[in-house]
Amino acid sequence: MATFMDESKSKKRRESLARAIALVDEALAGLAPPTGLAEVTSPASAYRRRRSSIERLRKGTSKDLSAASNLVRTLVLRCAESADATATITAAEVADLRTSLSIAQAAHGRAAVAVSLESGEILGAQLVASPQQIANLRSWNFDVFEMDRALRGGLRGEPMAAAGWALLEDGGLANHFSLDPAKTAKFLSELQRSYVASVTYHNHLHGIDVAQTVHFFLTTGGLGAHCEPWERLSLVVAALAHDAGHWGLNNHWLNAVDDPLAVTYNYLSPLENMHASKALSLLVTPGCDLLANPSVPMREVRSLVVELILGTDAAHHAVHLAELRAAISSNRQETGGAPNPLHALSAEGGSAFFEGFPRGTEWLARDAASRRLVLKATLRSADVSNPCKPWAYYTEWADRIVQEFFHQGDLERAAGLPSAPGFDRGKVTCAADRARAQLGFINFVVGPQFEALGEVVRLGDSALRHLAENKAEWEKVVSAAGE
């Protein structure tokens, strides 16, 4: 018989274990949350009572498979391996359970949960890295709304924790830096809470969408091959946190009304400074400090995360784009690299794409200063990438940002302040008005941004094809209006 913890430490652990097993019991049985834990008196017997349910899970016949898949894998294993001296769970039982759960995970591809045995608190779901899920994470057509619906539909996970951990694992960063799963899950869970759920566009789903797009650039796009691991880590963390705390009002509003946030940051990118501050504060909070280990160059990561987030201020778009173009042109001349064959976007919606990997980009690996410019451009591009996604997905985001704009416009009208184009609902009265706004965004922001990024990142066919097709759709709307 094997025991797994010294009796002197058993009381607190026993309470945590009882709570965790009760949660597993709830998931497997599909019951309402337990009102008390007094009935769970023996961790060992509770564990063994779950054995038949685990067997049903393995066979795919569990009554509540989605919830069970979400909770069981990590919870029960951690319970079994951390049982106190009175539990007397055998090593053979643990091994048997591990095998069953591995089979269940492989068969059902749901999720695992990071759990703190100190408190028994569920910290957040981790997306299981099944082949299909990995393919989705690296796909340009990843749908964050679909993931959110799946989690709310039974997986009981938090989207930020689920996606964030999966991105860190798939990118090899969790393993390279030996990131603690519980701290990482806690950081991601708290990061999601720092976003304002009622905000229609700049919420945690936008953070996930941008982070997944960044992941595409690093993996499928090939950018990661030129970057240090800590730079890739910084980019993913910055992407997840880049709009933390955003309440749906932009810097123009904050500065115009002398908001305390604008005053705090001297009227210079107040939102972006706040987002960066929230990220750094979480990274040094006990229990959330996932980067607090010797393998992470903390100062460098902290500095780059701040620089990347500050670089998302749209007010500096033109300057940053010019800097990127200058760096690409200068390095291409020095290395003799050729530009990529970019096919111009056509009004008819013809395909625009880059063929193969970007050529002449070897300089990225040795030029740290230019690489930082590219990393900033990568996050900015991901932040404005919606028009480069499939039409239905793009227009869902477009509807959301319009609602935010209108809300701010209403406040500006009430305060007697002028509104920027697209913010005054009284002046956006038809589909053609909306179409013209989106065409301006595509022609003057998204198109130039992606054209420059395509010189250093393999975009493939999808991004610019969708951009061309979506542009053509808006042009049809304007044409139908007789303009």
Side-chain angles (χ1 to χ4, degrees), residues 3 166 379 432:
T3 61
L379 181 53

Side-chain angles (χ1 to χ4, degrees), residues 313-325:
D313 187 346
H316 306 306
H317 166 76
V319 172
H320 289 155
L321 183 57
E323 291 175 343
L324 176 64
R325 285 171 167 165

Side-chain angles (χ1 to χ4, degrees), residues 117-130:
L117 288 172
E118 293 292 339
S119 64
E121 178 186 5
I122 294 180
L123 299 178
Q126 302 170 8
L127 199 64
V128 174
S130 69

Side-chain angles (χ1 to χ4, degrees), residues 131-151:
Q132 182 58 49
Q133 289 164 333
I134 291 299
N136 289 341
L137 286 173
R138 297 183 179 186
S139 168
W140 186 252
N141 296 329
F142 174 83
D143 189 329
V144 71
F145 301 121
E146 182 179 317
M147 184 198 74
D148 183 48
R149 285 190 295 270
L151 289 171

Side-chain angles (χ1 to χ4, degrees), residues 74-146:
T74 297
L75 279 175
V76 178
L77 286 180
R78 298 257 180 114
C79 289
E81 294 176 349
S82 301
D84 60 63
T86 65
T88 63
I89 301 174
T90 68
E93 287 174 318
V94 173
D96 182 39
L97 180 57
R98 187 188 299 278
T99 299
S100 292
L101 291 172
S102 295
I103 294 171
Q105 178 188 340
H108 305 298
R110 293 298 187 181
V113 169
V115 61
S116 167
L117 288 172
E118 293 292 339
S119 64
E121 178 186 5
I122 294 180
L123 299 178
Q126 302 170 8
L127 199 64
V128 174
S130 69
Q132 182 58 49
Q133 289 164 333
I134 291 299
N136 289 341
L137 286 173
R138 297 183 179 186
S139 168
W140 186 252
N141 296 329
F142 174 83
D143 189 329
V144 71
F145 301 121
E146 182 179 317

